[in-house]
């Protein structure tokens, strides 16, 4: 995988083999999930532009890439102890968010969205859950719903870097609105002056790319 591309968010406890297989599946279904900041960003990388890691030194045999059903079973297994806790604390917003994150990381976006929505119902100010819900909605084809959730997140935390980053990506990719994307990313940089240098450089690069004139036929 491209070393400069944002990497998939793998829950703690996954093996290297599982992580590699999940990353490969991201490419296979065209959903390389970006995590420039805490949560996911709607960032895709064409499979043709990526390179596989250490192909020359890889073993002769490779682990078979798991199906979405396999990944669902993995997520169910990891979620079991959290679901047990949830039975005694059903309105724990942070716990619901953790469960949603497990399912989002394994591309179970509909199921993840349900948990994120419950986390928001329990605590409307849970910006992390709203941002993750927005990602799930986007991956399910509901760009307007995703943008709405991100805008609500920014009402609670106008400086949230993850919300601003994702808002820019969705406006650019789903709405073909480079001006709106640049506005979101400029606000990100303005409101987060202490942003890490590598993240700042990545956002500045996206702004420059969004400002480039579109080729004419």
């Amino acid at each position: 995988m491209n070393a400069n591309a944002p990497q998939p968010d793998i829950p703690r406890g996954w093996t290297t083999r599982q992580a590699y297989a999940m990353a490969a599946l991201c490419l296979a279904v065209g959903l390389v999930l970006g995590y420039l900041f805490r949560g996911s960003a709607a960032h895709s990388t064409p499979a043709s532009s990526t390179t596989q890691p250490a192909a020359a030194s890889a073993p002769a045999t490779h682990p078979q890439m798991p199906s979405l059903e396999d990944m669902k079973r993995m997520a169910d297994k990891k979620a079991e102890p959290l679901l047990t806790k949830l039975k005694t604390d059903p309105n724990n917003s942070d716990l619901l968010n953790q469960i949603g994150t497990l399912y989002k990381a394994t591309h179970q976006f509909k199921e993840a969205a349900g948990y994120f929505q419950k986390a928001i119902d329990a605590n409307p100010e849970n910006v992390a859950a709203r941002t993750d819900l927005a990602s799930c909605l986007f991956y399910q084809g509901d760009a307007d719903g995703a943008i709405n959730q991100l805008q609500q997140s920014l009402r609670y935390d106008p400086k949230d870097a993850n919300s601003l980053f994702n808002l820019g990506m969705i406006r650019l990719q789903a709405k073909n609105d480079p001006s709106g994307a640049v506005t979101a990313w400029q606000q990100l940089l303005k409101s987060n002056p202490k942003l890490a240098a590598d993240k700042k450089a990545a956002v500045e690069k996206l702004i420059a790319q969004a400002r480039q004139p579109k080729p004419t036929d």
Side-chain angles (χ1 to χ4, degrees):
M1 186 176 294
N2 188 335
N4 296 321
Q7 301 298 306
D9 184 19
I10 308 300
R12 291 182 179 179
W14 292 105
T15 65
T16 301
R17 172 176 173 172
Q18 289 170 329
Y20 179 85
M22 287 176 64
L25 183 58
C26 286
L27 295 178
V29 300
L31 290 173
V32 178
L33 304 183
Y35 291 82
L36 182 63
F37 298 97
R38 182 208 57 77
S40 65
H43 181 72
S44 63
T45 303
S48 59
S49 68
T50 60
T51 56
Q52 296 300 322
S57 60
T61 59
H62 299 282
Q64 183 178 357
M65 187 169 62
S67 66
L68 288 175
E69 290 75 18
D70 292 332
M71 294 169 71
K72 171 65 162 56
R73 287 191 289 271
M74 294 176 190
D76 287 341
K77 185 66 175 178
K78 290 291 181 181
E80 283 180 1
L82 299 178
L83 291 170
T84 298
K85 292 181 181 179
L86 191 64
K87 291 179 181 179
T88 58
D89 193 5
N91 293 318
N92 186 318
S93 185
D94 291 336
L95 184 57
L96 288 161
N97 191 39
Q98 290 179 47
I99 297 170
T101 299
L102 273 173
Y103 284 105
K104 179 168 68 71
T106 50
H107 299 175
Q108 312 302 315
F109 298 121
K110 183 176 181 179
E111 189 157 0
Y115 284 107
F116 291 135
Q117 184 61 62
K118 290 179 181 178
I120 293 168
D121 292 341
N123 177 16
E125 297 185 21
N126 191 332
V127 170
R130 283 194 185 276
T131 307
D132 283 332
L133 175 58
S135 296
C136 292
L137 293 174
F138 172 67
Y139 288 134
Q140 292 181 90
D142 185 5
D144 289 334
I147 289 172
N148 179 60
Q149 289 298 330
L150 292 171
Q151 289 173 333
Q152 290 189 58
S153 292
L154 292 169
R155 292 190 185 102
Y156 290 109
D157 185 359
K159 298 181 179 181
D160 185 59
N162 193 57
S163 296
L164 289 165
F165 180 78
N166 287 2
L167 182 60
M169 294 303 296
I170 294 175
R171 281 178 171 167
L172 180 65
Q173 293 192 359
K175 292 299 185 179
N176 192 25
D177 180 13
S179 177
V182 168
T183 298
W185 292 330
Q186 287 179 327
Q187 181 61 31
L188 189 165
L189 295 177
K190 180 180 179 180
S191 58
N192 294 272
K194 296 183 180 181
L195 195 65
D198 58 332
K199 294 179 173 61
K200 180 180 179 181
V203 174
E204 289 174 339
K205 182 177 180 180
L206 286 170
I207 291 174
Q209 291 174 340
R211 283 175 166 168
Q212 292 178 356
K214 293 182 180 179
T216 57
D217 295 333

